[in-house]
Amino acid sequence: RATVAAGAEICRRHPELVRACAAQGHEIAAHGTHATRMITSRMSEAEELAVIRQAREAVIEACGVAPAGWFGQDQGESPRTPRLVSECGFDYLADWPNDEQPYWMTLPRPIVSLPLQTELDDQQLLWMRQQPTWRYPELVQQAAEQLASDGRANARCLALGLRSWLFGRPHRIRYLDEALARLTSRQDIWHATAGELAQAFRNALPYPGNPK
C-alpha cells in the first residue's frame, strides 16, 4: 500500500481514480491544487489558506474521508504553511526532508513532520540528476540496510517518492518492481503508509502536555 498525494484538480477531474486507490487500501493525502501551482511567500495568508482548504475538501468530496496528511506541491511552503496546515485539521506534514525520523512541529496545534528521502525521489534521481534507472534497486537497498541498522534502537523512515509518468515507463518499471521486491523480502522493515507512520510516532511519543 502507498500514500497517494492527490491534488484538488485530479480529484475534480477523475474522482474515480482517487476512489479506486482508496478502495485498494492506499492512503489519500492532500497535494495542493495543481501540479503547476506551488505555495510561496508571495501569496497572502488568505490565498494560501484557500489553497489548503480547497485541497482538503477535494479529497473529502472524492473519497469521503478527510486526509490526515499534507504533501505540498514540490514541497512549496511559506513560513505560515505548517501553522495553516495544522489549523485546517491535518495530522502530519511531509514537506521537510531534514531528518530520518518523524518529529513534532511546535505549533499551537502540534502536528507531526514526516521526513522524506528526496535523494531517492524518482524525479530528483532519474529526471533531474539523470542517474541510470538500473542503479535504483541497489541504491534503495543500501539505504534500507543502513536505516534498518541505525533504527534497531529507535526506528528510521525510508520513504520513496514515485510518479507514474516517470517510473511507470516500460523501460523503468522492472527496476521499481525489483527494488520493492527486495524491500518486501526483508523481515526487519514495517511496510506502512505515511499516515500509519505518523500515527505510530504520535502513539509512541505523545506531544508533551498534549497526549492527543
Side-chain angles (χ1 to χ4, degrees):
R1 293 172 300 115
T3 296
V4 178
E9 187 66 8
I10 194 68
C11 291
R12 184 187 68 83
R13 291 192 185 189
H14 295 288
E16 72 281 2
L17 296 180
V18 180
R19 286 194 292 268
C21 288
Q24 293 175 20
H26 302 298
E27 177 194 7
I28 309 300
H31 189 45
T33 59
H34 300 70
T36 55
R37 302 179 189 179
M38 292 173 57
I39 287 177
T40 75
S41 296
R42 295 182 179 181
M43 302 170 74
S44 69
E45 180 166 336
E47 290 171 333
E48 183 175 351
L49 183 59
V51 167
I52 295 170
R53 285 175 172 170
Q54 181 183 351
R56 184 175 185 273
E57 292 303 316
V59 172
I60 295 174
E61 185 173 345
C63 61
V65 178
W70 173 265
F71 287 69
Q73 181 62 51
D74 293 334
Q75 298 175 317
E77 282 197 2
S78 78
R80 301 179 296 257
T81 305
R83 174 178 59 82
L84 295 178
V85 167
S86 173
E87 290 174 355
C88 285
F90 290 92
D91 294 328
Y92 74 89
L93 174 147
D95 291 346
W96 292 38
N98 60 336
D99 210 323
E100 294 169 350
Q101 297 176 302
Y103 57 89
W104 285 106
M105 303 194 84
T106 52
L107 298 162
R109 178 183 177 271
I111 59 172
V112 175
S113 175
L114 191 69
L116 305 179
Q117 275 73 29
T118 54
E119 288 193 355
L120 291 176
D121 179 273
D122 63 350
Q123 188 172 15
Q124 291 273 352
L125 187 70
L126 306 179
W127 189 262
M128 299 176 67
R129 300 186 181 183
Q130 295 291 298
Q131 292 296 308
T133 311
W134 58 261
R135 294 194 62 201
Y136 185 79
E138 184 63 28
L139 292 173
V140 171
Q141 180 173 320
Q142 290 179 11
E145 289 175 352
Q146 184 64 53
L147 291 170
S149 176
D150 294 343
R152 289 193 182 105
N154 43 28
R156 300 292 193 273
C157 294
L158 174 60
L160 303 175
L162 305 170
R163 293 158 183 80
S164 58
W165 62 265
L166 183 54
F167 236 133
R169 297 294 184 180
H171 64 286
R172 292 194 178 104
I173 193 66
R174 57 168 286 196
Y175 298 107
L176 176 59
D177 289 342
E178 182 181 343
L180 295 179
R182 293 188 189 187
L183 291 178
T184 55
S185 68
R186 299 180 64 103
Q187 301 301 310
D188 56 352
I189 295 178
W190 177 36
H191 305 284
T193 64
E196 289 170 341
L197 291 174
Q199 187 58 52
F201 172 79
R202 298 173 78 96
N203 293 339
L205 192 64
Y207 190 79
N210 183 16
K212 297 301 182 182

